[in-house]
């Protein structure tokens, strides 16, 4: 019966599916650190006027632009991004007006290759907040997962309890039927005695009253048995047409000797402790993010501009025209104090988990 419950009971499936859904929380947190690629390509026809060295009067300028970027955030508080652009321009020579002293290459292709690194130095110091957020999600999931086995044990125990209740209901029903059959014979015997004048006064009435009680017992026990049987069939996920045959061993095994288990090793206590640690990590995450943002920003790029696309790309790969930048970026939010209130809320949550953990041990 226990194996059947674990194999096919809808209650088991319900528990499994509920805990499978919890996998989404840590995966959702880690999805922030996936590689992200963005690609865009398209054609543009431009007839607008401009104040630059090249003035278009009536004609067409056709641009073919392709942009590809690749970025990734790391658990060290680092953000990496790579960018490659290709911009091709072709103008109609008949309508191209150039201001004196300017030269225009027509057509031309420009390539831009860039690498950007941004490192957190204050808020989320070298990924302190990111790692705390990931740990909080993983511990929360692990805390829930520890309770899954307890729930499955309860499902099996409930099924076994229902099995024995149905068996007892069947035996009670059979005993009620046997008792009624015995009273059938007794009633017939007393009626025969009464017709011959041998019965004691009131004996027939008493027997008939007891016989009616036996009939009611049959009806009641039959209803209880059918109700338990329906519940057991539903619990075991069997067909309504299946016939259950109860097999009860004659010799029951001895009660196993249970080893003493330390309180800290019990699954509910371990689960509660993990929830306390998860709440602490969530608090550390918010406290880290509440600090001003100070990031180190470093960029390196190379450009190429030639009439031929291959020549422009060669300039980029050879880094003939490099461009570098190193700087600091500062950001500080103030005024609303919403994050401060969130930190206070998380601190209360952490303290509450600690109190519930002590209650669990008690």
């Amino acid at each position: 019966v226990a194996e059947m419950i674990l194999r096919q009971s809808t209650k088991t499936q319900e528990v499994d599916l509920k805990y499978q859904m919890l996998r989404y929380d840590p995966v959702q947190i880690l999805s922030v650190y996936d590689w992200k690629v963005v690609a865009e390509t398209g054609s543009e026809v431009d007839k607008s006027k401009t104040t630059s060295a090249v003035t278009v009067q009536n004609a067409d300028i056709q641009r073919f632009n392709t942009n590809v970027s690749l970025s990734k955030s790391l658990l060290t508080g680092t953000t990496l991004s790579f960018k490659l652009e290709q911009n091709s321009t072709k103008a109609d020579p008949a309508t191209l007006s150039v201001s004196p002293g300017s030269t225009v290459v027509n057509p031309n292709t420009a390539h831009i290759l860039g690498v950007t690194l941004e490192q957190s130095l204050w808020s989320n110091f070298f990924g302190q907040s990111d790692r705390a957020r990931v740990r909080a999600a993983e511990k929360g999931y692990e805390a829930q997962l520890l309770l899954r086995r307890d729930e499955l044990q309860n499902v099996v125990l409930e099924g076994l309890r229902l099995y024995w209740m149905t068996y007892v209901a069947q035996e009670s029903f059979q005993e009620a039927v046997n008792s009624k059959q015995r009273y059938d014979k007794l009633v017939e015997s007393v009626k025969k005695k009464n017709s011959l004048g041998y019965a004691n006064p009131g004996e027939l009435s008493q027997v008939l009253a007891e016989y009616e009680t036996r009939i009611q017992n049959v009806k009641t026990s039959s209803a209880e048995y059918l109700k338990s049987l329906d519940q057991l069939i539903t619990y075991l996920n069997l067909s309504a047409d299946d016939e259950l045959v109860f097999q009860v061993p004659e010799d029951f095994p001895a009660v196993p000797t249970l080893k003493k288990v330390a309180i800290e090793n019990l699954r509910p206590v371990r689960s509660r402790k993990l929830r306390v640690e998860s709440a602490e990590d969530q608090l550390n995450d918010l406290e880290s993010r509440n600090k001003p943002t100070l990031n180190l920003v470093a960029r390196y790029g190379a450009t190429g501009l030639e009439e031929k696309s291959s020549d422009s790309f060669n300039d980029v790969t050879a880094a003939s025209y490099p461009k570098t930048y190193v700087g600091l970026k500062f950001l500080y939010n103030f005024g609303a104090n919403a994050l401060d209130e969130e930190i206070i809320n998380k601190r209360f949550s952490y303290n509450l988990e600690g109190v519930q953990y002590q209650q669990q041990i008690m």
Side-chain angles (χ1 to χ4, degrees):
V1 175
E3 292 177 354
M4 185 180 296
I5 293 171
L6 289 175
R7 183 175 64 251
Q8 66 188 46
S9 173
T10 55
K11 290 291 184 180
T12 303
Q13 298 174 19
E14 181 180 345
V15 172
D16 283 335
L17 291 173
K18 181 178 71 173
Y19 282 95
Q20 288 291 342
M21 291 172 60
L22 297 175
R23 296 175 53 190
Y24 176 70
D25 292 338
V27 172
Q28 184 184 27
I29 296 297
L30 291 174
S31 66
V32 179
Y33 307 99
D34 290 341
W35 285 96
K36 300 176 181 64
V37 59
V38 179
E40 181 181 357
T41 183
S43 172
E44 179 185 48
V45 178
D46 187 1
K47 294 183 179 182
S48 61
K49 292 184 178 181
T50 179
T51 57
S52 63
V54 179
T55 302
V56 179
Q57 294 178 339
N58 298 315
D60 305 337
I61 289 184
Q62 289 185 330
R63 296 188 181 92
F64 301 94
N65 302 324
T66 300
N67 304 321
V68 179
S69 64
L70 183 67
S71 61
K72 180 177 177 60
S73 297
L74 305 176
L75 286 173
T76 56
T78 308
T79 301
L80 289 173
S81 61
F82 306 89
K83 178 180 69 174
L84 176 62
E85 297 183 15
Q86 176 180 304
N87 302 317
S88 300
T89 303
K90 181 179 180 181
D92 187 353
T95 57
L96 188 62
S97 177
V98 184
S99 60
S102 301
T103 58
V104 176
V105 177
N106 181 36
N108 63 70
T109 301
H111 281 88
I112 301 174
L113 177 65
V115 180
T116 302
L117 181 146
E118 190 166 337
Q119 177 64 54
S120 301
L121 299 179
W122 198 343
S123 173
N124 190 27
F125 176 74
F126 282 91
Q128 179 182 9
S129 174
D130 292 339
R131 292 190 294 274
R133 191 183 306 118
V134 171
R135 287 197 306 269
E138 290 177 345
K139 290 178 181 178
Y141 174 64
E142 186 178 353
Q144 295 291 337
L145 206 58
L146 281 173
L147 300 179
R148 172 182 173 273
R149 184 169 295 181
D150 271 7
E151 285 202 35
L152 287 177
Q153 286 183 346
N154 291 335
V155 167
V156 172
L157 289 175
E158 180 62 27
L160 293 176
R161 189 177 297 112
L162 187 58
Y163 175 85
W164 284 110
M165 288 175 58
T166 307
Y167 169 70
V168 171
Q170 175 187 263
E171 293 298 306
S172 299
F173 169 62
Q174 187 62 46
E175 179 59 30
V177 171
N178 294 337
S179 177
K180 174 184 173 299
Q181 291 174 350
R182 289 194 296 269
Y183 260 80
D184 286 339
K185 299 178 181 179
L186 179 61
V187 169
E188 292 297 328
S189 175
V190 172
K191 282 183 177 181
K192 186 175 182 181
K193 288 173 58 179
N194 187 64
S195 64
L196 297 176
Y198 296 135
N200 296 324
E203 182 179 1
L204 179 59
S205 298
Q206 180 181 358
V207 170
L208 290 176
E210 293 178 352
Y211 180 65
E212 182 63 27
T213 302
R214 297 301 185 276
I215 294 176
Q216 295 301 322
N217 288 341
V218 171
K219 294 180 179 179
T220 302
S221 59
S222 174
E224 291 294 330
Y225 168 61
L226 292 176
K227 179 181 177 181
S228 297
L229 187 62
D230 286 342
Q231 292 177 346
L232 179 60
I233 288 177
T234 303
Y235 204 91
L236 297 178
N237 196 21
L238 298 174
S239 173
D241 299 330
D242 289 340
E243 180 180 358
L244 295 184
V245 178
F246 294 90
Q247 295 182 354
V248 181
E250 296 181 359
D251 297 326
F252 288 96
V255 177
T257 302
L258 301 179
K259 297 180 180 179
K260 186 176 181 180
V261 181
I263 294 179
E264 293 77 7
N265 293 334
L266 295 175
R267 279 192 293 270
V269 176
R270 289 162 55 196
S271 174
R272 181 64 63 177
K273 184 178 180 181
L274 285 172
R275 293 181 61 174
V276 173
E277 296 174 356
S278 176
E280 183 180 12
D281 286 328
Q282 293 179 28
L283 178 60
N284 293 334
D285 168 33
L286 287 177
E287 289 178 341
S288 176
R289 288 195 287 121
N290 194 34
K291 299 175 183 178
T293 299
L294 179 64
N295 292 349
L296 171 67
V297 181
R299 297 192 187 96
Y300 174 81
T303 60
L305 177 61
E306 300 292 344
E307 183 175 358
K308 293 182 178 181
S309 175
S310 58
D311 295 337
S312 174
F313 188 76
N314 289 336
D315 288 343
V316 167
T317 55
S320 301
Y321 307 99
K323 181 180 179 180
T324 58
Y325 169 83
V326 177
L328 296 174
K329 181 169 70 174
F330 180 80
L331 174 65
Y332 180 64
N333 297 332
F334 61 93
N337 296 326
L339 193 55
D340 292 337
E341 289 298 325
E342 189 176 359
I343 290 176
I344 294 174
N345 181 274
K346 286 298 182 182
R347 185 173 288 113
F348 287 151
S349 177
Y350 169 63
N351 293 335
L352 176 62
E353 291 290 350
V355 171
Q356 291 177 343
Y357 175 61
Q358 294 300 325
Q359 289 177 345
Q360 188 85 39
I361 293 179
M362 292 292 292

